[in-house]
Amino acid sequence: MRTYRDDDRGQVAVEFLGMVPLILLTLALLWQVVLVGYTYTLAGNAADEAARACAVGDDHHEAALRHLDGAWRAGAQVSGCPSGGGVATVVVSVQVPALVPGVGGLFRVEGKAGAVDERSSTP
């Protein structure tokens, strides 16, 4: 005769409930890694566009902000644009959000780009 004490019914449910926090933590960490990579991509693209704008004499700060999404635009810092040696160099610094874009920030990432200064070149 079998007793309920020796029965394994419900064991899978108990193990699954024990694993749920670990699964959620893993998903949150993976999402954070995606946000870090996307922030690096945005900063690099914004710096590239700002350097191109600077090279032709346009407003590099506006060009950088135009290529940043809303949540990343708020804390963005754009610096550079002197054309030393015939190269316009721009650095864009963007805050990496913590899990949700627009909420908090973990650290800053920088995108740096340069373009040949077309203002000083002659045909």
Side-chain angles (χ1 to χ4, degrees):
M1 178 171 171
R2 265 174 74 180
T3 63
Y4 285 107
R5 188 177 53 132
D6 298 327
D7 199 1
D8 287 340
R9 283 187 287 179
Q11 184 65 29
V12 172
V14 171
E15 289 176 2
F16 177 73
L17 287 175
M19 290 298 294
V20 166
L22 185 61
I23 292 168
L24 292 177
L25 179 65
T26 302
L27 289 175
L29 289 174
L30 287 173
W31 176 245
Q32 188 61 53
V33 168
V34 168
L35 285 176
V36 170
Y38 186 61
T39 304
Y40 270 108
T41 301
L42 284 176
N45 183 53
D48 195 32
E49 295 296 332
R52 287 186 191 130
C54 181
V56 296
D58 289 341
D59 183 10
H60 67 285
H61 190 269
E62 176 59 33
L65 293 181
R66 189 172 48 243
H67 287 87
L68 289 174
D69 291 339
W72 284 267
R73 183 183 305 199
Q77 297 173 350
V78 182
S79 61
C81 194
S83 58
V87 177
T89 305
V90 177
V91 177
V92 176
S93 177
V94 182
Q95 190 79 17
V96 175
L99 291 181
V100 180
V103 178
L106 296 177
F107 54 92
R108 299 189 78 76
V109 297
E110 289 185 350
K112 183 176 180 181
V116 175
D117 190 2
E118 296 179 17
R119 295 173 294 178
S120 63
S121 61
T122 57

